[in-house]
Amino acid sequence: MSRRNPFRPTFGASPYHWAGRSLILEEFSEALHGHPGHPSRSMVIDGARGIGKTVLLTELEDLAAQQGWVVLRATGRADAVRTLIDTTIPAKIAELDPPAGRTVTAVQVSGFRVDTELLDAPTPTPTLGTRMRHLLGLLRGTGVLITVDEVQDADPETLSEIALTHQDLVRDDRDVALVMAGLTHGINRLLDLPGTTFLRRARRFELGPLTDADAHAILTATAADSGRPFVGNATDTAVRIARGYPYLVQLVGFLAWNRAGDTITVHDVEAVRQEAVRMMGAQVHAPSLKGVPPAQLDYLRAMAELTDEEVSSAAVAEHLGRRPNEVTDTRGKLLDRGLIEAPAWGRVSFTLPYLAEFLRGDSRPTRVS
Ligand SMILES: Nc1ncnc2c1ncn2[C@@H]1O[C@H](COP(=O)(O)OP(=O)(O)OP(=O)(O)O)[C@@H](O)[C@H]1O
Ligand SMILES: [Mg+2]
């Protein structure tokens, strides 16, 4: 029995127990088995901070690797394509096709050492396309997956070059897949740029909360495997606090596990609620609100004063002392940012759990008597 905390409330850290997202995993697996040009071989995954984009990307990479595909991780930085061409792809090629030892590396010509390579015809500068074709030529019955995370911060030219090369290879019936992930706001902005047209046609998934059943399964299995199980109604309480938000599932599990004895009780879970919400504020809410213009913040605060969940947009406008049509634009921008949702016509709700509390300042540390 391990006595190390098995929960992983860390961005990008794959959980010990996975649950949910099965539609995407199945569809991708099917696509890999399918023919070149299968629509789900090009995917764009978006969603709020901490909703599980990075670990899903890792899961998709694992799926591909299990099926014998070569996985290339690209950053979105301006030098990403160069890195693929000069380093990442050549390394994979060398793995699959180790270069034979060169027999003659140099010859003597009237006293000078001349590399034989210099005497060869000049080779064209490799591009992402030629490198990919070389790599693909070494594979039989499998293909190459490229993944890009944090697309919202990516260099548009890098993305468009990767996307265009992918599109070109798809047209030539090559076995390639491309999966990109990022925050909703950034992705929407990106898909509006010229040169990323192709990505607009990719299979798009927006990650929402996990179901309560999935959250329950993650908590139960993770704790039980570590030898410190949830008992009584403790799991249900943790599920209620986590509200399907994957980062909170890990965080509540982590904090409760730490303070528990041999078993995790309802009391342990309730005792960490405030700490979990506070950490959520620091790790998720604060960074999500960074750079949000004042008018949008005012809108969010007005919402928070009216509700924890959902409210009519007319009521928000009234609370702001404005006519509904005067705040339509602000509302649209917040929807686009993925900070609010429209659960029904004329209604708005917060995407991130506990954002209302955060905006009201409810979760500041309270004094304990
Ligand atoms: N399906 C899942 N099952 C169990 N745990 C999950 C699942 N998805 C995400 N998590 C957990 O939730 C947390 C956040 O996941 P992740 O880092 O992938 O989020 P993200 O969407 O990439 O966030 P960011 O926008 O900040 O990059 C991690 O602790 C991760 O282990
Ligand atoms: Mg991430």
Side-chain angles (χ1 to χ4, degrees), residues 13-27:
S14 290
Y16 284 114
H17 279 277
W18 175 270
R21 319 302 189 202
S22 47
L23 173 74
I24 303 176
L25 294 168
E26 278 159 25
E27 202 173 302

Side-chain angles (χ1 to χ4, degrees), residues 1 14 24 94 130 156 158-159 167 214 240 246 321:
M1 272 184 207
S14 290
I24 303 176
T130 59
T158 297
L159 285 189
Q167 177 174 26
D214 286 334
R240 224 173 307 122

Side-chain angles (χ1 to χ4, degrees), residues 305-356:
E305 277 159 25
L306 295 169
T307 184
D308 276 351
E309 316 212 323
E310 61 163 276
V311 65
S312 79
S313 9
V316 181
E318 194 188 314
H319 197 73
L320 285 164
R322 313 284 290 274
R323 278 199 301 274
N325 64 338
E326 291 176 321
V327 292
T328 310
D329 184 50
T330 306
R331 175 177 172 272
K333 285 180 177 149
L334 285 167
L335 285 166
D336 195 41
R337 261 181 203 279
L339 284 173
I340 64 171
E341 291 170 341
W345 193 85
R347 301 195 64 82
V348 283
S349 63
F350 291 103
T351 307
L352 293 167
Y354 302 106
L355 184 60

Side-chain angles (χ1 to χ4, degrees), residues 8-15 17-19 48-55 150 183 210 218 246-247 250:
R8 308 190 79 187
T10 307
F11 291 92
S14 290
H17 279 277
W18 175 270
R49 213 172 277 277
I51 203 75
K53 300 177 294 294
T54 299
V55 299
E150 308 279 1
L183 293 173
L210 297 169
I218 292 166
Y247 171 70
Q250 298 292 331

Side-chain angles (χ1 to χ4, degrees), residues 101-109 112-123:
R102 220 186 282 275
T103 45
V104 186
T105 52
V107 290
Q108 292 287 131
V109 180
F112 293 103
R113 270 173 56 92
V114 179
D115 281 336
T116 47
E117 278 168 323
L118 289 180
L119 301 174
D120 290 343
T123 42

Side-chain angles (χ1 to χ4, degrees), residues 195-237:
T196 49
T197 322
F198 175 68
L199 288 179
R200 252 175 278 159
R201 280 184 241 128
R203 189 82 167 88
R204 175 103 181 245
F205 289 101
E206 178 163 1
L207 296 188
L210 297 169
T211 63
D212 281 355
D214 286 334
H216 201 280
I218 292 166
L219 289 159
T220 311
T222 311
D225 271 11
S226 74
R228 191 177 293 176
F230 284 92
V231 292
N233 291 327
T235 323
D236 293 331
T237 307

